[in-house]
Amino acid sequence: KMTDTLMETVVVVMLVTIAALGLRAGSIVGVAVPVTMLTSLALLRPLGVELNQVSTAAFIIALGILVDNANVVVDDTVRR
């Protein structure tokens, strides 16, 4: 169920970014989000961190920061 929710979240974020900033920005965010999340999930077990409510909340906050930073970078790139 968690992977389904993650996939839905990525799709919604991509659609909103495409609507706001265009196809290029949506594709950049669409690639950055899964790569970052999969890398983070892959590093949890070797570092001894379990996936619980606290780490899930941290993932949500990190996802918001990632999308915001990607939007700022793309917006700045498009402006120049």
Side-chain angles (χ1 to χ4, degrees), residues 3-24:
T3 57
D4 293 339
T5 305
L6 181 61
M7 293 304 293
E8 291 171 2
T9 303
V10 170
V11 170
V12 169
V13 166
M14 279 180 53
L15 291 175
V16 169
T17 307
I18 288 170
L21 295 176
L23 184 62
R24 183 176 178 187

Side-chain angles (χ1 to χ4, degrees), residues 13-57:
V13 166
M14 279 180 53
L15 291 175
V16 169
T17 307
I18 288 170
L21 295 176
L23 184 62
R24 183 176 178 187
S27 61
I28 290 171
V29 172
V31 170
V33 169
V35 168
T36 303
M37 296 303 280
L38 289 174
T39 304
S40 299
L41 287 171
L43 291 175
L44 282 179
R45 188 167 306 269
L47 293 175
V49 179
E50 294 182 12
L51 191 61
N52 54 26
Q53 288 181 338
V54 174
S55 59
T56 303

Side-chain angles (χ1 to χ4, degrees), residues 54-67:
V54 174
S55 59
T56 303
F59 265 14
I60 292 168
I61 292 170
L63 180 64
I65 292 169
L66 172 72
V67 171

